[in-house]
């Protein structure tokens, strides 16, 4: 979906030039626009209407800036599903030979902490300043 330059700029500014998920800086030209509530989840309209499934919109409140890596990984997942996928991905990595070896040599460290997305941290900061 193509968004106007005005919408793209509004989305980019939401997180101050950072990916809403991982928090890395992204150039305006490299920003992808993610639908927080996905537009499509593979359900036909009748299933959405009958099954309580939701479909996102192109409203600015449903759009966040994302780097290519995060947008690709999130795909059509809801926020909580994405959060779970990232946690599971880290767990699976530590079970591989390379992950276990990296742990043994102290190259990576296993930590048990909640997955907090960048946009959640800036939202919290804004709430605390008002």
């Amino acid at each position: 979906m193509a968004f106007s330059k005005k919408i793209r700029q509004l989305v980019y500014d939401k997180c101050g030039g950072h990916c809403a998920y991982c928090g890395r800086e992204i150039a305006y030209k490299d920003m992808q626009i993610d639908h927080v509530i996905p537009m499509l989840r593979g359900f036909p309209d009748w299933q959405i209407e009958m099954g309580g499934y939701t479909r996102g919109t192109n409203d600015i409140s449903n759009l966040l800036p994302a780097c290519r890596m995060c947008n690709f990984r999130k795909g059509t997942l809801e926020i909580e599903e994405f959060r779970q996928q990232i946690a599971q991905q880290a767990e699976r990595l530590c079970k591989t030979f390379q992950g276990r070896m990296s742990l043994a040599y102290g190259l990576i460290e296993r930590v048990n902490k909640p997955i907090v997305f960048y946009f959640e941290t800036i939202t919290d900061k804004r709430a605390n300043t008002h």
Side-chain angles (χ1 to χ4, degrees):
M1 155 120 226
F3 291 96
S4 70
K5 287 182 181 181
K6 179 182 176 185
I7 295 295
R8 286 186 60 79
Q9 189 65 54
L10 287 170
V11 172
Y12 185 75
D13 292 342
K14 276 183 151 185
C15 293
H18 293 84
C19 173
Y21 301 107
C22 70
R24 290 184 307 155
E25 272 192 66
I26 47 177
Y28 175 84
K29 67 179 181 59
D30 295 328
M31 175 194 66
Q32 295 189 357
I33 296 178
D34 178 62
H35 291 85
V36 178
I37 300 171
M39 291 290 286
L40 299 172
R41 294 277 318 245
F43 303 116
D45 286 339
W46 67 268
Q47 262 187 324
I48 290 170
E49 293 166 11
M50 301 292 287
Y53 299 107
T54 57
R55 176 175 284 167
T57 66
N58 284 324
D59 184 77
I60 191 74
S61 65
N62 190 43
L63 305 175
L64 286 175
C67 67
R68 181 177 304 277
M69 179 177 63
C70 288
N71 197 37
F72 176 79
R73 184 69 178 96
K74 181 177 177 285
T76 60
L77 297 174
E78 300 274 349
I79 292 290
E80 291 310 313
E81 292 171 312
F82 184 38
R83 195 182 316 272
Q84 290 171 347
Q85 289 287 322
I86 293 170
Q88 290 169 358
Q89 164 182 303
E91 188 62 34
R92 284 191 301 270
L93 177 64
C94 288
K95 291 180 180 178
T96 66
F97 174 79
Q98 292 88 353
R100 289 190 318 268
M101 194 157 195
S102 294
L103 283 166
Y105 279 90
L107 299 172
I108 61 173
E109 185 178 332
R110 181 180 268 169
V111 294
N112 187 17
K113 68 177 198 168
I115 305 292
V116 178
F117 296 120
Y118 182 76
F119 79 91
E120 294 169 322
T121 66
I122 62 173
T123 302
D124 290 345
K125 287 177 188 170
R126 287 182 191 154
N128 292 333
T129 60
H130 296 305

